[in-house]
Amino acid sequence: MIIYQYDKSFEGLLSCVFEAYERKIFPETLQETGTPLPLFYDDAIQVFTDPLKANRVWKGLTHKLSPAGLSVIASCWLSELPESDILLFRYIRKAIDAPSSIELQFGDPDILKASQIAKKVNNERLRVIQFIRFQKTIDNTYFAATEPLYNVLPLVTEHFQDRFSDQIWLLYDVKRSYGYYYDLHAIKEIQLKDPVRILTTSPQGNPLLAPDEILFQKLWQTYFKSIAIQERINPQLHRQHLPVRFWKYLTEKKSL
Amino acid sequence: MDDAILEKLKILAESAKYDVSCASSGTFRRHQHGSIGSANGWGICHSFAEDGRCISLLKIMLTNYCMYDCAYCINRRSNDIRRATLSVTELVHLTIEFYRRNYIEGLFLSSGVVRNPDYTMERLVRIVKDLRTIHRFHGYIHLKGIPGASPELIHEAGLYADRMSINIEIPNEKSLQTLAPEKDFQSVFTPMRHIQQGILENKEDRQKFHSAPRFVPAGQSTQMIIGATPDSDRDILRLSSALYRRPSMKRVYYSGFVPVNSYDHRLPALKQPPLIREHRLYQADWLLRFYQFKVDEIVDDAFPDLDLEIDPKLAWALRHPERFPVDVNRADYEMLLRVPGLGVKSAKMILVSRRYGKISGSQLKKMGVVLKKAQYFITCHELPFQTIHEIRPERIRQLLTAARPPKEDPRQLKLIFEP
Ligand code: SF4
């Protein structure tokens, strides 16, 4: 068994691809640098991430795959699933070796699997776009926290910039401890020292929120309750569409 | 704004909630600098109410005072309910503040009729005009047209709204006049025609001058109430299919009758809204719009009502064993779509995949094609399914309906409300 070890970054993965083609030795397993090696293996190669090499691989891929195919790679990577890196390695290798685009060959288990994962990630992306709730703070920043299943924040910023370009906003992934801040000009990646301060205080008594914020949250809750038709109440369908794991940050689901 | 508005919002949302059209799709509007909002072309549901329905727009009435007395409507003048009216400023403010917090895609505005249709329509137009021109709001706007409003006002409204709708409500003119004495088909179809004309003219204008302002870019929709009158599914679907022949008609919504005025004996006393029937009508509607079915294939004089036990495509297939089995490796797109259980996505996936070789049963499964129904209607490479000819239609029907748990709560159906 051939093992490549790398830094578990996306550029690192692309560097592994570059290295493999250069050496003509292709790994069966990818591991994070520093992981103890298994008892039996044939060769273990340490790959150093090199942006130039990564770039060349990515550029090569743009000739082999459509934008949809490239986004399968990006989305699948953001799934952060344990075996997604070696799966992508094989996907990329197939893309490079094939004379024409492989992205629709669903008879191939790797291609099918990667597109299925990408689809799940995209569904999560959509859910974040649906269920993000901004709260206005005293300094007029619209703040939203979320804990998506997959690391989809990088996939949603464009949507929010397009839609809310005239308001300052901050999207924060609490699970992964990072977020994006838009200051009316550009989007910056940031880390908050203490996101909990905005998050956990009950909105009633949170001095960080804008004075009229509670009113609008109450209005939204009132609307949410009033719009349901009592004769049709359907908790199962409600849960199916509005997964419970999002409730924590949903204005309409918290108690004020 | 203060707490008093909470009460108004409650009253006016409750008055608006029986209008089911929720989709906010059909327009693509990219953001322009210095303004707020974008429309995505596909509707985004921002929440789901406790009845499981999509919340995409702030669906609200400007006022629930109404001079009309439609028997099926909670807001009819003879009802003793709490009434409220929002000011233009309040409505505009609410919409924008909700939008900025990502609660909604936009506004769905309707109104009871006060004084006369034109007076009411004028006020609706004021709001959408303010939103677009003063506040530069680019979110989605669905505006109800008031039956009987003048063509000029309908036209002005169309310059600001993405979608407009005028509800038919009752699929048969006679019944409509018994239940809503102030309305007739003409008061509904005339403004519909004006919208249609406006849209067609606008299309031509925009071909000549790309900068011509858009007119109701997401087209129009309408709604019919199901189960309030004895009309059959055939009557309803024939009307829908006639409406879909107009190029501007994008959606017909079906709303299972909720007996809000149980004292009115012109209306049936239902214990439950007819949700399964409503669901089947939506399925039939999909067959009309996306599956190239003709209305007479779904319902006709011999089968005037949809089968409540099985979906309309399966019902059609069981009536037409001679069209099956379909070879998934050869059949054209149209025929793949006719296979019960195969959707648009599966059919397209099959077309693409078979370019790379013959498709087997296990590959179908791996692609995510659900074979529960389809298995009786297809043949494929190396998998000898037992098809409709070996098993017989009656038996397939039994097999597919018996699998369900015995006493299913009809409310637990997975109703499709596509975004
Ligand atoms: S005109 Fe509209 S609001 Fe008034 S009673 Fe009839 S359906 Fe209800």
Side-chain angles (χ1 to χ4, degrees):
Chain A
M1 185 166 68
I2 314 250
I3 298 172
Y4 274 28
Q5 290 199 329
Y6 73 115
D7 64 0
K8 279 273 172 185
S9 71
F10 186 59
E11 285 189 330
L13 173 70
L14 295 179
S15 305
C16 288
V17 174
F18 189 95
E19 202 84 5
Y21 274 90
E22 203 170 56
R23 293 171 188 252
K24 301 200 174 55
I25 302 171
F26 295 90
E28 276 120 31
T29 301
L30 295 176
Q31 283 185 344
E32 183 164 10
T33 308
T35 314
L37 291 162
L39 279 182
F40 303 101
Y41 65 93
D42 301 312
D43 203 356
I45 293 166
Q46 178 64 47
V47 175
F48 296 98
T49 298
D50 179 342
L52 285 177
K53 289 178 182 171
N55 238 328
R56 279 183 55 192
V57 173
W58 187 253
K59 256 193 103 185
L61 282 172
T62 57
H63 298 299
K64 290 286 192 175
L65 295 170
S66 75
L70 294 172
S71 107
V72 165
I73 297 179
S75 303
C76 190
W77 173 260
L78 291 172
S79 76
E80 300 175 331
L81 290 170
E83 300 272 296
S84 60
D85 56 356
I86 189 69
L87 175 68
L88 279 179
F89 187 96
R90 292 196 298 266
Y91 186 99
I92 292 172
R93 195 177 160 197
K94 282 173 185 167
I96 292 174
D97 292 347
S100 63
S101 170
I102 47 125
E103 61 203 65
L104 295 176
Q105 290 182 27
F106 300 116
D108 180 308
D110 287 335
I111 291 157
L112 186 69
K113 184 92 207 189
S115 356
Q116 282 166 343
I117 293 176
K119 207 169 146 204
K120 280 192 196 159
V121 172
N122 272 310
N123 287 342
E124 189 70 355
R125 168 186 176 271
L126 177 59
R127 288 205 193 94
V128 168
I129 287 176
Q130 292 175 279
F131 302 139
I132 278 287
R133 294 290 180 264
F134 288 111
Q135 312 189 54
K136 194 160 121 188
T137 61
I138 24 172
D139 65 351
N140 279 337
T141 303
Y142 287 80
F143 175 81
T146 177
E147 296 178 32
L149 219 48
Y150 310 115
N151 185 12
V152 292
L153 236 44
L155 302 175
V156 304
T157 50
E158 194 188 326
H159 168 85
F160 286 106
Q161 185 175 19
D162 195 37
R163 175 158 295 195
F164 300 117
S165 69
D166 70 338
Q167 71 193 50
I168 299 169
W169 49 255
L170 169 55
L171 283 175
Y172 206 76
D173 184 333
V174 181
K175 197 147 96 193
R176 296 169 186 83
S177 300
Y178 83 104
Y180 292 102
Y181 177 71
Y182 171 75
D183 63 2
L184 301 182
H185 305 287
I187 298 176
K188 273 198 295 271
E189 192 180 318
I190 55 146
Q191 277 173 323
L192 291 178
K193 275 197 213 79
D194 188 13
V196 184
R197 212 158 58 101
I198 313 185
L199 287 168
T200 51
T201 340
S202 88
Q204 271 307 0
N206 191 337
L208 293 172
L209 292 180
D212 61 356
E213 177 57 26
I214 294 302
L215 175 63
F216 286 108
Q217 295 197 11
K218 274 196 201 152
L219 281 164
W220 177 240
Q221 290 192 338
T222 304
Y223 178 75
F224 178 78
K225 272 197 211 98
S226 313
I227 206 69
I229 297 179
Q230 291 312 312
E231 290 86 344
R232 305 181 64 133
I233 292 298
N234 188 339
Q236 190 194 329
L237 192 62
H238 175 65
R239 280 214 176 90
Q240 179 195 327
H241 287 315
L242 196 67
V244 176
R245 63 196 164 85
F246 284 95
W247 290 13
K248 190 167 159 193
Y249 299 115
L250 279 176
T251 313
E252 59 268 38
K253 282 290 178 189
K254 66 184 177 195
S255 49
L256 286 180
Chain B
M1 283 214 266
D2 53 26
D3 280 3
I5 197 180
L6 277 167
E7 200 49 36
K8 284 196 194 177
L9 178 72
K10 184 164 185 263
I11 294 170
L12 292 168
E14 275 176 3
S15 281
K17 69 182 166 195
Y18 297 99
D19 206 319
V20 290
S21 35
C22 76
S24 58
S25 56
T27 313
F28 190 84
R29 197 181 308 104
R30 246 191 120 75
H31 166 79
Q32 287 163 11
H33 208 76
S35 58
I36 165 179
S38 60
N40 267 74
W42 42 282
I44 300 174
C45 294
H46 284 280
S47 192
F48 290 88
E50 278 163 351
D51 54 18
R53 296 186 310 158
C54 161
I55 301 179
S56 170
L57 305 172
L58 168 59
K59 193 193 297 180
I60 196 157
M61 293 184 99
L62 172 62
T63 177
N64 66 343
Y65 284 98
C66 188
M67 53 191 256
Y68 289 177
D69 206 32
C70 311
Y72 44 80
C73 176
I74 189 167
N75 304 313
R76 56 188 292 191
R77 69 164 180 264
S78 47
N79 272 0
D80 180 22
I81 54 164
R82 286 192 301 164
R83 310 268 174 179
T85 305
L86 282 167
S87 73
V88 175
T89 334
E90 284 169 334
L91 228 156
V92 166
H93 204 48
L94 263 179
T95 307
I96 289 181
E97 293 296 330
F98 276 14
Y99 192 84
R100 287 201 181 283
R101 287 165 176 78
N102 205 42
Y103 299 164
I104 54 170
E105 282 296 289
L107 175 66
F108 179 176
L109 184 61
S110 61
S111 178
V113 186
V114 267
R115 273 198 231 171
N116 57 57
D118 273 355
Y119 177 83
T120 312
M121 195 68 215
E122 225 178 291
R123 299 182 51 186
L124 292 179
V125 172
R126 251 292 293 292
I127 292 166
V128 288
K129 187 176 175 184
D130 275 15
L131 270 171
R132 290 286 196 234
T133 54
I134 301 178
H135 301 274
R136 309 195 57 192
F137 175 72
H138 284 263
Y140 192 90
I141 297 179
H142 180 154
L143 188 65
K144 282 285 275 294
I146 302 296
S150 74
E152 292 75 25
L153 282 170
I154 294 283
H155 189 83
E156 200 187 348
L159 295 174
Y160 308 114
D162 288 284
R163 172 166 287 180
M164 290 190 69
S165 61
I166 293 141
N167 286 355
I168 297 173
E169 304 293 20
I170 302 297
N172 167 306
E173 179 155 34
K174 259 226 201 93
S175 325
L176 176 68
Q177 278 181 324
T178 342
L179 297 177
E182 289 99 343
K183 291 182 185 167
D184 55 18
F185 266 17
Q186 203 197 326
S187 68
V188 174
F189 287 116
T190 311
M192 262 189 195
R193 223 176 8 255
H194 288 139
I195 297 174
Q196 155 104 341
Q197 253 168 21
I199 291 177
L200 294 182
E201 282 167 21
N202 183 244
K203 236 192 200 149
E204 273 179 35
D205 288 352
R206 281 177 61 85
Q207 268 160 14
K208 282 186 236 145
F209 320 100
H210 201 66
S211 58
R214 292 199 290 184
F215 184 87
V216 198
Q220 54 179 331
S221 65
T222 190
Q223 162 176 297
M224 286 187 251
I225 298 175
I226 305 309
T229 50
D231 305 295
S232 68
D233 293 339
R234 178 199 49 203
D235 304 332
I236 294 165
L237 287 168
R238 277 192 185 155
L239 183 50
S240 303
S241 131
L243 288 166
Y244 283 136
R245 250 172 263 137
R246 307 176 174 202
S248 66
M249 183 55 69
K250 292 296 185 265
R251 286 298 307 268
V252 175
Y253 291 91
Y254 308 92
S255 173
F257 175 56
V258 180
V260 284
N261 305 321
S262 47
Y263 60 85
D264 193 322
H265 297 299
R266 283 173 294 173
L267 292 164
L270 302 179
K271 272 207 217 91
Q272 261 268 321
L275 295 184
I276 300 182
R277 184 174 173 207
E278 177 191 291
H279 179 56
R280 295 288 178 231
L281 279 164
Y282 274 113
Q283 290 178 319
D285 188 274
W286 275 71
L287 295 184
L288 289 177
R289 289 188 297 140
F290 303 118
Y291 288 78
Q292 308 173 18
F293 271 78
K294 297 208 174 49
V295 65
D296 295 337
E297 296 179 294
I298 305 170
V299 276
D300 57 22
D301 296 340
F303 300 94
D305 285 305
L306 296 170
D307 195 323
L308 293 182
E309 256 183 16
I310 55 176
D311 70 80
K313 187 154 71 158
L314 179 59
W316 173 84
L318 293 180
R319 290 200 299 270
H320 294 279
E322 77 282 357
R323 303 285 294 268
F324 297 99
V326 163
D327 181 348
V328 290
N329 282 304
R330 263 192 225 148
D332 60 12
Y333 180 62
E334 197 180 336
M335 204 50 221
L336 286 174
L337 284 182
R338 297 228 159 200
V339 175
L342 285 193
V344 171
K345 259 191 220 149
S346 306
K348 286 195 175 146
M349 193 101 138
I350 289 172
L351 285 188
V352 169
S353 308
R354 72 189 187 192
R355 275 193 243 142
Y356 303 99
K358 283 218 182 295
I359 301 175
S360 66
S362 59
Q363 268 170 323
L364 282 178
K365 274 189 202 142
K366 264 195 232 144
M367 279 184 234
V369 176
V370 184
L371 292 177
K372 190 175 152 227
K373 289 183 219 168
Q375 58 178 321
Y376 305 113
F377 301 94
I378 55 173
T379 53
C380 66
H381 194 48
E382 81 194 359
L383 215 152
F385 285 127
Q386 292 247 354
T387 73
I388 187 163
H389 295 292
E390 289 81 52
I391 309 188
R392 312 297 310 146
E394 311 77 61
R395 178 76 190 122
I396 292 179
R397 188 195 173 90
Q398 275 175 359
L399 285 170
L400 288 173
T401 48
R404 289 202 197 155
K407 257 196 118 184
E408 197 178 56
D409 182 345
R411 284 177 307 177
Q412 308 301 311
L413 267 180
K414 314 273 181 293
L415 298 173
I416 315 166
F417 279 99
E418 105 265 30

